[in-house]
C-alpha cells in the first residue's frame, strides 16, 4: 500500500480472477474481482471488469446475474461488440459445483444451559478424588454429540502459515494477504477482515519476532485471549475465570518454571505495549501501569492454565486415491476449550474427538448410563502403550496417576490382545462378568447371583455384532462413510449390552468409527 496504493495487488487479483474463471472457480474469481476493486482497480466505468464479473457468475451457474453484469457493461461501454461476444461464450463457460463448507454438528438434544457447547445429555460433577469432570446426565447413545465447542482462543502453528488460513484454519486455495505483512494469509476477504480488525492489528508487526523467539504455541494462545477481546476488561475477566476454574498445579511448580513463565509474560506484555494495545503510551519506560500489570499477571495465569488444558487441533488428510487408505492426522494448531477441559482422561476414551475448522467435537463411541463418566484421552492409549509407559507419560505431562479400567486391569496392547469375549451375566441386576463358555450346550455358573445361566443368546448376538463390523469395514473400503458410521454405531451399542472391553474387534470398530467421523467432518 505504501508503494502504489495497492494497485499492484489489485492487478494481481484481477489476473488471478481470469485464471480462476478459466478453471471454473467462479466464486473465488468473483471474490478476487471485488477485492481488486476495493484495492483501487478502476471498476465503476470499466467494461472489462463487468464482463469478467459476468463470466464469474456464469461459472457459478447464475446466468441471470451474469446478464445484469453485461447490461452494466453496455451502459458504460457504448459499443456492444465485447458484450455480445461474451454472451456467446457464457453457455460454454466451465461450471463447477459449489463446495459448501462442512457445518459442525450440534450437541444432541440441544445445548446445555450451564456448560458452553455441551449437550444437555451431560453434566458437571465434582468429587474430592477426581475434582470436576463430566458424566452422563441422561442415557447417552453411541453417536450422540456430547460437545461441539468453539475455542476460547486458538492459534495456527507457524509451520502452517503458508498452507492454512490464519483465521479459520481452512486449507488455502486462493490466498488473500494481510496488507501489512507477508507472513500469513487468509482463505477469504471475510476472514482477512475479521482478523485484521481485531487481533491481527496488534500481532501483525511482531509476527517475525514471535516466530524468532521460539515461543510455544501456548504463548500465542495466551496472547490471543487478549488481542481478540473487545476490550482489556473482558480479556482480564476471561483469563481470571479460566485460572479459577481450570487446573494449574501451581503448588507443584518449581521456581525456575515460574521464572520462565514470568519472563514470557513480560515479553508478551511488552509487545502489547508497543502495539498500542493500551493506547498511545506517554513514555517508553518499561514500568507497567496498574492496568498493564494486571494484564501481565493474567498472562502468567494463562500460561499456567494452558499447560494442562490446551488441545491440539488437527486435520485428517486423505490421499487422492482413497479416503482412508494412506490418510494421516496432521497437527496444525492448538486451542483452549473451556468445557472440553472438564472431560477426564481414560486410557481408552469413550468419545471420538475431531475438529470442524477450529470447533472441537466430541461424539460418544459407546453408550453411557446415567452418572457414568464420559472420558476423553490426553495422549497415551492402552492399545499402543503398556501400563508402565502410559503412567510415566501421564505423570510427567499432567502430574496424575491414571486409575481407569484399562490401568486397573492392565489391559494388554492391541497387538497382544486375543479375540476372547467376556459377557455380562444375563441375570437381571447382576453385574458379574463371565468368560466365553467352553461348551455352549452347557449352562455357566455365576458366582455372584449363584444361578446357572445360558450364554447361547449372548453368543448369537456376538455373531451378529461381528457381521455388522465386517459390513461397516466393507463400507469404509467402498468409501460409503455414512453407511459405515451407522453400522459401527449399531454393532457397538449391541456389544456393550452383552459384553465388556477389552474386545479386539470392538476396539478396532470404535477406532474406525472415530476415523469415519473425522473424515465426514472434512
Amino acid at each position: 500500500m505504501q508503494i502504489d496504493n495497492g494497485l499492484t495487488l489489485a492487478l494481481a487479483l484481477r489476473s488471478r480472477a481470469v485464471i480462476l474463471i478459466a478453471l471454473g472457480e467462479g466464486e473465488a474469481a468473483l471474490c478476487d474481482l471485488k477485492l481488486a476493486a476495493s484495492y483501487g482497480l478502476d471498476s465503476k466505468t470499466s467494461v472489462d471488469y463487468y464482463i469478467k464479473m459476468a463470466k464469474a457468475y456464469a461459472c457459478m451457474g447464475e446466468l441471470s446475474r451474469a446478464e445484469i453484469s453485461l447490461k452494466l457493461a453496455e451502459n458504460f461501454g457504448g459499443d456492444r461488440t465485447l458484450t455480445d461476444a461474451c454472451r456467446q461464450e457464457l453457455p460454454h463457460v466451465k461450471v463447477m459445483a459449489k463446495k459448501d463448507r462442512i457445518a459442525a454438528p450440534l450437541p444432541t438434544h440441544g445445548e446445555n444451559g450451564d456448560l458452553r457447547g455441551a449437550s444437555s445429555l451431560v453434566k458437571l460433577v465434582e468429587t474430592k478424588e477426581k475434582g470436576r469432570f463430566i458424566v452422563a446426565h441422561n442415557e447417552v447413545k453411541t453417536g450422540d454429540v456430547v460437545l461441539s465447542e468453539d475455542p476460547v482462543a486458538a492459534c495456527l502453528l507457524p509451520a502452517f502459515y503458508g498452507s492454512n488460513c490464519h483465521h479459520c484454519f481452512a486449507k488455502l486455495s486462493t490466498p488473500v494477504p494481510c496488507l501489512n505483512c507477508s507472513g500469513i494469509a487468509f482463505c477469504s476477504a471475510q476472514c482477512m477482515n475479521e482478523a485484521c480488525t481485531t487481533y491481527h492489528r496488534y500481532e501483525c508487526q511482531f509476527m517475525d519476532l514471535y516466530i524468532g523467539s521460539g515461543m510455544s504455541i501456548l504463548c500465542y494462545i495466551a496472547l490471543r485471549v487478549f488481542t481478540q477481546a473487545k476490550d482489556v476488561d473482558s480479556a482480564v475477566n476471561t483469563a481470571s475465570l479460566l485460572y479459577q476454574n481450570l487446573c494449574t498445579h501451581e503448588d507443584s511448580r518449581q521456581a525456575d518454571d515460574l521464572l520462565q513463565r514470568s519472563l514470557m509474560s513480560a515479553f508478551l506484555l511488552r509487545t502489547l505495549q508497543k502495539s498500542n494495545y493500551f493506547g498511545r503510551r506517554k513514555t517508553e519506560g518499561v514500568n507497567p501501569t496498574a492496568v498493564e500489570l494486571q494484564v501481565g499477571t493474567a498472562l502468567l495465569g494463562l500460561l499456567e492454565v494452558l499447560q494442562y488444558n490446551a488441545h491440539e487441533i488437527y486435520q485428517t488428510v486423505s490421499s487422492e486415491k482413497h479416503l482412508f487408505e494412506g490418510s494421516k492426522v496432521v497437527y496444525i494448531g492448538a486451542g483452549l476449550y473451556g468445557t472440553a477441559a472438564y472431560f477426564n482422561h481414560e486410557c481408552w476414551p469413550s468419545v471420538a474427538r475431531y475438529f470442524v475448522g477450529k470447533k472441537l467435537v466430541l461424539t460418544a463411541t459407546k453408550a453411557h448410563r446415567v452418572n457414568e463418566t464420559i472420558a476423553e484421552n490426553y495422549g497415551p492409549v492402552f492399545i499402543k502403550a503398556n501400563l508402565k509407559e502410559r503412567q510415566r507419560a501421564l505423570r510427567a505431562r499432567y502430574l496424575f496417576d491414571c486409575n481407569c479400567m484399562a490401568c486397573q486391569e492392565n489391559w494388554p496392547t492391541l497387538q497382544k490382545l486375543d479375540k476372547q469375549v467376556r459377557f455380562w451375566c444375563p441375570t437381571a441386576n447382576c453385574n458379574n462378568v463371565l468368560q466365553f463358555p467352553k461348551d455352549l450346550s452347557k449352562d455357566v455358573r455365576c458366582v455372584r447371583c449363584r444361578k446357572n445361566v445360558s450364554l447361547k443368546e449372548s453368543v448369537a448376538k456376538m455373531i451378529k455384532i461381528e457381521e455388522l463390523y465386517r459390513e461397516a469395514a466393507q463400507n469404509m473400503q467402498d468409501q460409503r462413510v455414512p453407511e459405515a458410521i451407522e453400522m459401527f454405531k449399531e454393532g457397538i451399542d449391541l456389544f456393550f449390552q452383552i459384553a465388556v472391553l477389552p474386545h479386539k474387534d470392538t476396539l478396532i470398530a470404535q477406532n474406525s468409527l472415530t476415523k469415519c467421523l473425522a473424515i465426514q467432518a472434512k
Side-chain angles (χ1 to χ4, degrees):
M1 296 299 290
Q2 290 85 347
I3 297 171
D4 58 5
N5 293 319
L7 181 60
T8 303
L9 179 58
L11 292 171
L13 287 164
R14 185 181 69 173
S15 298
R16 189 169 71 179
V18 174
I19 297 168
L20 290 167
I21 288 167
L23 293 172
E25 297 276 0
E27 189 172 3
L30 191 64
C31 177
D32 275 2
L33 288 169
K34 290 179 178 179
L35 278 173
S38 69
Y39 294 153
L41 186 70
D42 185 16
S43 60
K44 292 182 179 179
T45 58
S46 171
V47 173
D48 178 71
Y49 175 80
Y50 287 107
I51 285 176
K52 286 181 172 58
M53 290 273 283
K55 290 180 179 179
Y57 279 124
C59 290
M60 297 164 64
E62 299 187 19
L63 294 178
S64 59
R65 288 191 173 188
E67 181 58 34
I68 292 171
S69 296
L70 288 177
K71 287 181 179 178
L72 287 170
E74 288 170 351
N75 290 340
F76 297 123
D79 184 3
R80 297 183 54 168
T81 305
L82 292 174
T83 53
D84 288 341
C86 182
R87 278 193 180 89
Q88 293 178 2
E89 288 182 43
L90 292 187
H92 309 291
V93 166
K94 186 176 182 179
V95 179
M96 290 190 71
K98 184 179 179 181
K99 295 179 181 178
D100 294 325
R101 285 197 174 182
I102 301 294
L106 298 173
T108 303
H109 294 309
E111 188 170 352
N112 192 307
D114 299 320
L115 293 167
R116 178 174 171 265
S119 164
S120 59
L121 293 172
V122 306
K123 63 181 178 181
L124 185 66
V125 298
E126 185 172 7
T127 67
K128 188 176 180 180
E129 297 79 20
K130 294 183 178 181
R132 282 179 287 186
F133 58 101
I134 301 291
V135 300
H137 183 53
N138 300 106
E139 287 192 2
V140 175
K141 297 178 181 178
T142 305
D144 282 348
V145 177
V146 296
L147 183 74
S148 185
E149 184 183 10
D150 288 311
V152 176
C155 294
L156 193 68
L157 285 168
F160 293 89
Y161 285 176
S163 60
N164 292 69
C165 176
H166 194 71
H167 187 63
C168 74
F169 296 7
K171 288 287 287 183
L172 292 175
S173 175
T174 51
V176 176
C178 167
L179 293 180
N180 297 306
C181 73
S182 58
I184 62 168
F186 303 95
C187 66
S188 64
Q190 180 180 345
C191 279
M192 185 266 289
N193 287 329
E194 288 177 6
C196 291
T197 55
T198 54
Y199 61 87
H200 190 61
R201 63 184 172 139
Y202 301 115
E203 300 174 12
C204 182
Q205 60 185 303
F206 297 110
M207 293 305 296
D208 289 341
L209 178 62
Y210 294 142
I211 296 169
S213 74
M215 69 185 200
S216 74
I217 189 68
L218 302 184
C219 301
Y220 287 92
I221 299 171
L223 180 70
R224 186 65 56 81
V225 169
F226 283 88
T227 55
Q228 72 181 11
K230 62 179 181 180
D231 54 48
V232 177
D233 288 342
S234 63
V236 169
N237 184 55
T238 297
S240 298
L241 288 172
L242 291 167
Y243 185 78
Q244 292 167 20
N245 294 324
L246 299 180
C247 173
T248 63
H249 287 301
E250 188 172 42
D251 294 340
S252 303
R253 293 185 182 277
Q254 299 299 313
D256 61 340
D257 177 274
L258 284 169
L259 175 61
Q260 290 176 25
R261 293 178 196 280
S262 298
L263 288 170
M264 180 51 68
S265 301
F267 168 70
L268 296 176
L269 177 62
R270 188 63 173 150
T271 64
L272 288 174
Q273 290 174 332
K274 299 290 281 185
S275 68
N276 292 327
Y277 179 78
F278 302 100
R280 188 170 295 279
R281 302 185 89 232
K282 296 178 181 179
T283 174
E284 282 301 309
V286 296
N287 291 335
T289 64
V291 171
E292 291 170 350
L293 187 59
Q294 192 179 18
V295 169
T297 305
L299 284 167
L300 175 58
L302 284 172
L303 291 178
E304 294 181 54
V305 165
L306 284 159
Q307 182 180 359
Y308 299 109
N309 296 282
H311 280 76
E312 292 181 348
I313 297 174
Y314 48 80
Q315 293 178 340
T316 301
V317 179
S318 300
S319 67
E320 294 182 1
K321 295 181 179 179
H322 199 274
L323 283 175
F324 296 99
E325 293 174 6
S327 66
K328 59 182 180 180
V329 172
V330 180
Y331 165 40
I332 64 167
L336 179 61
Y337 298 84
T339 302
Y342 287 129
F343 284 79
N344 268 2
H345 165 89
E346 287 186 5
C347 291
W348 186 246
S350 57
V351 291
R353 185 209 308 163
Y354 54 98
F355 293 86
V356 181
K358 294 187 289 188
K359 181 164 281 193
L360 186 156
V361 182
L362 297 178
T363 299
T365 53
K366 66 179 286 293
H368 294 75
R369 301 182 301 276
V370 175
N371 291 324
E372 183 181 354
T373 299
I374 301 177
E376 243 256 71
N377 179 269
Y378 296 174
V381 289
F382 89 89
I383 62 171
K384 294 181 180 180
N386 63 38
L387 175 62
K388 188 176 180 180
E389 292 168 339
R390 298 196 309 273
Q391 293 286 9
R392 184 169 57 240
L394 290 167
R395 201 174 296 119
R397 178 70 179 82
Y398 296 102
L399 306 183
F400 73 86
D401 294 311
C402 184
N403 196 36
C404 71
M405 194 58 66
C407 291
Q408 288 182 37
E409 298 182 356
N410 195 11
W411 293 353
T413 59
L414 190 65
Q415 192 174 11
K416 296 179 179 179
L417 189 64
D418 59 37
K419 290 198 173 186
Q420 287 299 311
V421 187
R422 297 186 300 162
F423 292 108
W424 290 115
C425 174
T427 304
N429 299 320
C430 180
N431 293 322
N432 195 28
V433 175
L434 305 173
Q435 299 295 328
F436 195 93
K438 293 180 179 179
D439 187 348
L440 269 177
S441 63
K442 297 180 180 179
D443 287 352
V444 175
R445 180 72 173 176
C446 176
V447 296
R448 181 166 295 177
C449 66
R450 302 181 184 280
K451 292 182 179 180
N452 292 327
V453 295
S454 171
L455 293 177
K456 286 183 180 179
E457 186 177 345
S458 296
V459 172
K461 287 181 179 179
M462 195 67 233
I463 293 170
K464 180 183 177 182
I465 290 165
E466 296 283 5
E467 182 58 34
L468 285 167
Y469 291 165
R470 280 193 291 272
E471 289 184 36
Q474 185 59 53
N475 280 325
M476 283 182 72
Q477 182 62 36
D478 297 337
Q479 302 183 81
R480 295 196 298 266
V481 180
E483 292 87 345
I485 289 172
E486 291 307 312
M487 287 194 168
F488 278 130
K489 284 163 56 176
E490 183 181 352
I492 291 167
D493 261 347
L494 188 56
F495 172 84
F496 282 98
Q497 291 173 22
I498 63 166
V500 297
L501 293 178
H503 175 246
K504 192 167 189 174
D505 289 344
T506 298
L507 295 169
I508 293 170
Q510 288 178 299
N511 202 34
S512 298
L513 175 59
T514 299
K515 290 181 179 180
C516 289
L517 292 167
I519 284 287
Q520 189 173 246
K522 285 177 58 180

